[in-house]
Structure formats: C-alpha cells, structure tokens
Amino acid sequence: MSERSALQRRIRAWLLLFLVCLVLSGLTAFPLVSEVRLGNSLVDNAWLRRVGDGLDRADADYPFLLYGTDWLAFAHLVIAVFFYGVYRDPVRNIWIVEAGMIACAGVVPLALICGPIRDIPFGWSLIDISFGVFGVIPLLILRRAIKRLEALPATPRAAA
C-alpha cells in the first residue's frame, strides 16, 4: 500500500470516529427527558435530580422550551454533514477540520462564562469542557495527517 493510500485510510478512520461521536452526541439531545430520568434511576446525585425536576416541569408545563435541545441535536447533525467535504477531498477541505478545532476551543470559554450565569456547578462545566478537549484530539490528528497528505508528491492521473 502506498503512503498516500495509507494516509487516506487513516484520515477516513479518524474522520469516522469523530463523526460517530458527533452524531451520537447530537442524537442523545433528542430524548433528554427520558435520559435524565434513566440517569436518576441509576445514580443518586442532587444536581442530576435538580436537572430531572426542571426537565420534568418544563416537559409538563412548557414543552416548547425543550425545542431548544432539539435544535441543539439538529445542529450536531448538520455540522457532521459538513465533514463529508473532508471525506471527499481532505486537502482542499482542511478548513472544515480547522473550523471544528476552533469550535472545540470555543467550548471552554462558553462553559466558563455561561456555566456560572446559569448556575451550573463547576464540576459539570468541567464535563462540558471535556467535550471540547476530547473532541479536538481526533481533529488535531486529522489535520496533521491531511498536512502530510498535502506534502506528498501528486500522483499522475491515468490517461482517459
């Protein structure tokens, strides 16, 4: 297998890992009420109970508020679609990976600023921050592999 083919396979493998995590992260925002109920049945935690109570009240009295988490889920799925460009042409579409890295970095100030405003416990903000920290790892690996692919000499095209 050529170095180019090996790099392309590696890029696609890391891209697939990132996409699976991104899509799963989005899909889990749809059934939020039932997920938190399940979490509360498994773990005894004051914060999780408070979140469950708030979601139950919102679901019963103000279900339109949960529409915001539906849009959050949808946004994850839309972002995943953009990464198809990386699959098609990683070198030309490296900007998508770099935009993803910027978004991962943006998780940190968002959690640190909005967490206290919304009375989110600091430990929970650290969990939120971990999504950006762990999310950027495959993107850094992807970017490095794409840069290596870009540096390889171009392969001659077969005559048509």
Side-chain angles (χ1 to χ4, degrees):
M1 178 183 305
S2 72
E3 185 178 1
R4 177 174 294 283
S5 295
L7 269 173
Q8 288 171 331
R9 285 178 56 133
R10 185 172 181 214
I11 288 167
R12 288 184 173 162
W14 280 104
L15 183 60
L16 181 64
L17 172 69
F18 180 78
L19 287 175
V20 165
C21 293
L22 183 62
V23 168
L24 287 175
S25 178
L27 291 177
T28 59
F30 283 117
L32 196 56
V33 175
S34 57
E35 286 173 341
V36 173
R37 283 182 188 147
L38 175 64
N40 273 313
S41 72
L42 299 173
V43 177
D44 185 28
N45 177 278
W47 171 249
L48 196 55
R49 277 194 311 276
R50 182 174 181 213
V51 170
D53 291 343
L55 284 171
D56 285 339
R57 287 175 56 193
D59 192 34
D61 299 333
Y62 311 102
F64 52 86
L65 290 175
L66 298 177
Y67 191 48
T69 61
D70 297 335
W71 279 104
L72 170 70
F74 179 70
H76 279 75
L77 302 177
V78 169
I79 292 166
V81 169
F82 283 97
F83 279 88
Y84 178 66
V86 179
Y87 178 85
R88 288 189 58 194
D89 188 342
V91 173
R92 184 183 322 159
N93 293 310
I94 193 171
W95 68 272
I96 297 169
V97 173
E98 293 168 342
M101 292 167 63
I102 293 167
C104 286
V107 169
V108 177
L110 178 83
L112 293 175
I113 294 168
C114 295
I117 292 171
R118 303 287 185 210
D119 290 328
I120 306 298
F122 183 69
W124 196 266
S125 291
L126 291 178
I127 292 169
D128 290 339
I129 288 169
S130 75
F131 280 90
V133 171
F134 290 117
V136 80
I137 292 170
L139 295 176
L140 285 166
I141 294 168
L142 266 170
R143 185 179 186 283
R144 189 176 75 202
I146 293 169
K147 286 294 189 180
R148 283 181 52 205
L149 181 66
E150 181 181 36
L152 290 177
T155 56
R157 291 188 167 233

